[in-house]
Amino acid sequence: MDTHELKHLEEIERYLDGEMTDQEKLVFEQRLNSEPMLKQEYDVLSSVVNQVQNSKREELKSLLQKADLELDDKPVNQPKGILFWRYAIAASITLMISLSVFYYYNSKVDNREKLVAAYWQKDNGLPVLMDEKSNASLDNAMTAYKSGNYDYAFSQLEALTQTDTVLYYEGLCSFELKKDATTYILHVAENNSSVFQAKAKYYLLLLYIKADKKEDVVKLMNELLKEADHPYRDQIMKLSQEPYLASR
């Protein structure tokens, strides 16, 4: 191997990170078969990236540092491509750190979503009357909501006058559909005359946790802890001891 720098680092990184278009990927993969130097650099970096994905950060960093020290011990009169490997090690550490940050961030998001899912209490919905005095659209929405057909339930609610009742269930449907429910639930949580206010505050707390709005979480949690007769009192007390909130 001739001594050289990693001349194709940027495009290899783009390929490994999935940032290339389909056409760019096709051209790059064709070049891997026709350009030995590109293939050589790609093999080195992709191997390290695979180790990153399957190893702990400090363990791999130690491995790379050990490899660097071993290069220092090689006689200078042996053509081992030392400069090439030094660049490979430096580039690999950069990739390793970037990926570690990515995986750490996503694991934090995943942990919050699991926490919210564990504490989310599905509302039972309103009684379905289906008589001449009932609101057919609202009844249809409640039937759909209770059966888990949240798309249809939301479409029925959307056509109704936006009362706190409608907004409340629009928010619950939005959450189930993995859409942002905060606007709907916040409106109800701030309505002191709404019969759904207490529950809406609890749901709002969970939405704040999901969005990692720590200041809002702490403020609302402290408020809810003062409500001794809250319908979700037990869940609130247990949630307050979770690691995400325990240090508030």
Side-chain angles (χ1 to χ4, degrees):
M1 180 188 304
D2 294 331
T3 300
H4 64 282
E5 299 181 7
L6 288 173
K7 298 180 179 180
H8 305 94
L9 174 60
E10 184 176 350
E11 56 185 329
I12 293 174
E13 285 182 330
R14 290 185 64 236
Y15 180 81
L16 292 175
D17 290 342
E19 296 178 355
M20 286 186 172
T21 64
D22 290 342
Q23 181 61 33
E24 287 176 326
K25 285 176 60 178
L26 179 61
V27 172
F28 182 83
E29 289 167 356
Q30 291 174 341
R31 289 177 57 207
L32 286 176
N33 295 323
S34 60
E35 298 181 28
M37 194 62 67
L38 174 63
K39 182 66 165 60
Q40 185 182 56
E41 295 179 12
Y42 171 78
D43 287 344
V44 170
L45 292 180
S46 62
S47 175
V48 174
V49 169
N50 286 332
Q51 291 182 62
V52 171
Q53 295 174 334
N54 297 297
S55 304
K56 293 181 180 179
R57 174 180 174 177
E58 291 305 319
E59 291 175 351
L60 182 56
K61 187 174 182 179
S62 176
L63 177 65
L64 292 171
Q65 290 174 337
K66 181 180 178 180
D68 192 26
L69 289 174
E70 289 176 352
L71 289 175
D72 285 336
D73 294 335
K74 292 185 181 299
V76 295
N77 60 347
Q78 293 185 18
K80 298 296 183 179
I82 292 179
L83 183 57
F84 173 85
W85 285 101
R86 287 196 183 283
Y87 274 98
I89 290 170
S92 300
I93 291 176
T94 300
L95 281 172
M96 175 191 67
I97 293 173
S98 298
L99 287 170
S100 296
V101 170
F102 173 80
Y103 290 126
Y104 174 76
Y105 173 77
N106 280 278
S107 68
K108 298 286 281 186
V109 172
D110 187 53
N111 288 339
R112 291 200 310 274
E113 291 185 346
K114 287 180 179 178
L115 181 63
V116 170
Y119 281 89
W120 192 270
Q121 304 291 308
K122 180 174 179 179
D123 189 277
N124 292 327
L126 300 175
V128 178
L129 302 176
M130 290 298 185
D131 58 28
E132 294 181 358
K133 296 181 180 179
S134 67
N135 185 319
S137 293
L138 184 57
D139 284 344
N140 290 337
M142 285 300 103
T143 299
Y145 171 79
K146 292 177 181 181
S147 66
N149 189 352
Y150 302 113
D151 266 319
Y152 182 73
F154 187 87
S155 69
Q156 291 292 298
L157 292 165
E158 201 173 22
L160 298 171
T161 302
Q162 299 295 285
T163 63
D164 67 301
T165 299
V166 172
L167 289 168
Y168 176 71
Y169 285 103
E170 282 181 324
L172 298 184
C173 287
S174 294
F175 175 81
E176 299 292 351
L177 293 169
K178 301 189 183 304
K179 298 179 180 179
D180 187 11
T182 307
T183 301
Y184 302 104
I185 298 301
L186 177 60
H187 183 91
V188 182
E190 292 179 341
N191 186 348
N192 294 330
S193 62
S194 174
V195 296
F196 300 106
Q197 185 184 43
K199 287 185 177 181
K201 286 183 178 180
Y202 177 75
Y203 291 129
L204 183 62
L205 175 67
L206 294 176
L207 293 173
Y208 282 157
I209 291 173
K210 184 177 180 180
D212 200 24
K213 296 182 177 180
K214 199 64 178 284
E215 290 185 6
D216 292 324
V217 169
V218 172
K219 180 180 178 180
L220 187 51
M221 172 57 83
N222 289 335
E223 180 182 333
L224 291 176
L225 286 172
K226 298 176 182 178
E227 299 183 14
D229 58 348
H230 194 284
Y232 294 144
R233 176 68 177 176
D234 291 343
Q235 288 86 349
I236 292 169
M237 294 299 295
K238 185 178 178 181
L239 181 58
S240 70
Q241 299 305 311
E242 292 285 352
Y244 183 84
L245 289 115
S247 61
R248 67 184 186 281

